[in-house]
Every structure is written in structure tokens, then in C-alpha cells.
Amino acid sequence: MAAVLCIGAAHIDRKAHSAGPVVLGSSNPVSVRTGTGGVARNVAETLARLGLDVALLSRTGADADGAEVRDGLAAAGVDCGLTTVSGTRPTATYTALIDPKGELAVALADMAVYEELTPDLLAGLLPRMAGFDAWFVDCNLPAESLGFLFRMRPAGVRLFVDPVSVAKAARLDGLLPGIDVLFANRDEASRLARVEIRAPLDLCVAAARLLGFGVADTVITRGADGVFVAGGGEWDFLPALPARVREVTGAGDALVAGTIYGRALGLPTAEAVQVGLACAALAVETPDTVYAGLSAEALVERSGLAGARA
């Protein structure tokens, strides 16, 4: 069984679903749901539900929200022994306003606690970070901490990275060499590759530049249009799988997790991404950030990956 260490955000999600078209600068009638989220947390839970051995390295506050995050992960089968607790800052929160079509209208993020994931703190955890087959890292960590992790990664450990946002993608400047799989949306890829992306051919140019910067494989997400995959001699546009969309929040994290799972099965990146697309299709059909009914069997059925197991 593959072992994956997920490093990054784990916090409280608040989703406000608008009853009608979102009107900026005005009061909008909504219904609010509260749960747990964070890119690394979502990927960790998804991988655990798929049967992998998963641990999470993150930072929470010493509050009820932090206890909820940690307890929920433990119940899902994620090892939280590397998740530390702040004595000064609260657990991070992410508040999203969702329009009637299930699309994100605006989001508010209070992530200050992750600034405490410093190189000094991480150095003390390094001995316990060894022994994993892969690390997944999101860019909610400070830039100097990302650099420290990338330098200290043990030989043979595969590195999967998600920039999280255009602003946080800047934290990867100078750190792209050695990344095994980089996941980025169009805007993040544009920022990292320093290429304006306006048409499908621009995706090819951006991917070529990212590979030239030292990334082994690049996965550029295109929302409802699917993904573009480049690396290892594979260059392909892969369509999204048909799905009855209820909410898109968490779809990108599901794509990442499904792809990591596919790689754990020994699949090349392009085929692994097809597993990720199946995982994303399952995610958008539920209002939950992580599909509660997810299992290896459900994913295999949706992806058509007959009989494969990690």
C-alpha cells in the first residue's frame, strides 16, 4: 500500500449558497453549511477513503475548530501526528459564496496560522516525514518553508504540488526543478510560466516552459473543459467526465487526489489524470467537499479502470 504525506492547509469551510443571482455591494439571501476543508486536508481524506496510508502535516489553533479538523481526519483514517497546534493563532477558515449554478462567486480566507509552519518547526518533524512514497504539498506554506521542504525531500520520494492560487503561486519561483507533478489552473500556469494563456495553443506553450523550468509532468486544469497534460512524451487534452453538477468546490482537490491514487497504481500521469477526472466528477455531484461515499470501488466504476487497486 502506497504511503502519502499531505502537507498544507486544514481548516474550517463555510459555504454560503446564494438563493438567487449574487449581487455585489448588497445583502444576498443564503443558506450556510459549515464543514472542514483545506487543500491538503481534502486530498488526505480522499486518499484515505481510497485505501492509501495517509498522514497530514498542518497547523491548527488550540480551539474547538482545530479539534473538529483533527478529529474528523482521524475518523477518516488520516494520521494527524504531524499536525501541530498553535498557542497564539486560531484555526484557519475559508468562507465561500456559491451562486445558484454551483460556481464560486467570491471567497474569504483567514490563513495566518500557516505562517507558523516555518523551516525551524519543519526541521523538527523531518525524521517523522521519512518513509513516505510521496509528498503532496500545497502552497499555503510560506515560500521559505516550501524551499526547505523541497531541498530536504528524501531521495526517491515523489513530489506533487498545487499552487492553490495565483498569489501563492509566486512562492514557487525558483522551486520548480524536481517537482514530479505540478497541478495548476490556467491563471496559475500563466503566472508560473510567464505566458499569457488565451487559447488552447497557449496551454502547450505554458506547459513547455514549465517542463523547461524542471517540472517533470504538468497538469493544467480547465474547469468544465477538463485538463491539459504534458510530460514524459505525453501531450493531451482530456475532457471532463459527464456529471450532474451540484457544487464545484473541492473538485480540483479531488482531481489531485485521484491522480495521486492513479500514480500509486503505477499508471503514467496521463492515465492517472483520467482517474483524477473520475474522482472530480464524483466530487461535483455532492454538496460535500469530499464525497462521503467515495471508495476505490466507486472510483474504479466511474473511471472504467477495471480491477485496479493500490
Side-chain angles (χ1 to χ4, degrees):
M1 179 182 293
V4 181
L5 175 61
C6 297
I7 305 170
H11 49 248
I12 295 296
D13 270 350
R14 295 186 177 92
K15 299 177 184 178
H17 292 262
S18 180
V22 174
V23 180
L24 298 181
S26 180
S27 176
N28 290 267
V30 300
S31 59
V32 178
R33 294 187 57 177
T34 300
T36 52
V39 177
R41 194 220 73 87
N42 294 343
V43 172
E45 180 182 344
T46 302
L47 291 174
R49 291 186 180 278
L50 292 172
L52 299 192
D53 183 7
V54 186
L56 176 74
L57 191 164
S58 189
R59 184 86 163 168
T60 69
D63 47 30
D65 285 346
E68 180 180 349
V69 170
R70 297 189 301 274
D71 291 348
L73 283 166
V78 177
D79 180 357
C80 293
L82 289 167
T83 295
T84 56
V85 177
S86 172
T88 58
R89 286 174 168 159
T91 298
T93 61
Y94 174 85
T95 303
L97 176 59
I98 310 296
D99 71 19
K101 295 181 180 180
E103 298 289 341
L104 177 67
V106 67
L108 307 172
D110 178 0
M111 307 286 175
V113 70
Y114 301 134
E115 297 302 312
E116 296 183 359
L117 289 169
T118 62
D120 285 345
L121 184 149
L122 295 171
L125 301 177
L126 280 175
R128 296 162 61 192
M129 296 168 64
F132 290 90
D133 301 296
W135 288 2
F136 167 72
V137 182
D138 75 39
C139 289
N140 283 295
L141 278 70
E144 59 270 22
S145 299
L146 294 172
F148 176 81
L149 286 173
F150 291 9
R151 291 192 305 272
M152 301 305 294
R153 173 176 50 130
V157 174
R158 286 175 291 180
L159 180 61
F160 301 83
V161 177
D162 188 330
V164 176
S165 70
V166 174
K168 292 176 182 177
R171 300 176 181 180
L172 289 174
D173 286 346
L175 299 179
L176 295 177
I179 293 177
D180 290 284
V181 182
L182 174 70
F183 299 89
N185 64 26
R186 185 189 65 182
D187 294 335
E188 293 158 358
S190 176
R191 165 61 183 80
L192 288 167
R194 296 175 175 82
V195 170
E196 188 173 0
I197 299 176
R198 294 174 296 183
L201 183 59
D202 296 330
L203 292 169
C204 301
V205 176
R209 294 202 68 178
L210 291 170
L211 298 182
F213 290 156
V215 176
D217 293 323
T218 298
V219 179
I220 301 177
T221 60
R222 307 172 65 223
D225 292 326
V227 301
F228 177 69
V229 183
E234 300 173 305
W235 295 71
D236 204 359
F237 289 89
L238 302 176
L241 271 64
R244 299 178 63 181
V245 178
R246 295 186 63 182
E247 184 181 314
V248 299
T249 305
D253 302 341
L255 172 75
V256 170
T259 302
I260 294 173
Y261 179 73
R263 287 296 297 267
L265 297 176
L267 299 175
T269 298
E271 292 182 33
V273 170
Q274 294 184 16
V275 180
L277 288 167
C279 200
L282 290 169
V284 300
E285 292 181 339
T286 173
D288 300 319
T289 302
V290 176
Y291 173 42
L294 183 65
S295 65
E297 291 74 16
L299 186 59
V300 166
E301 180 179 357
R302 189 61 172 262
S303 68
L305 192 66
R309 294 289 186 276

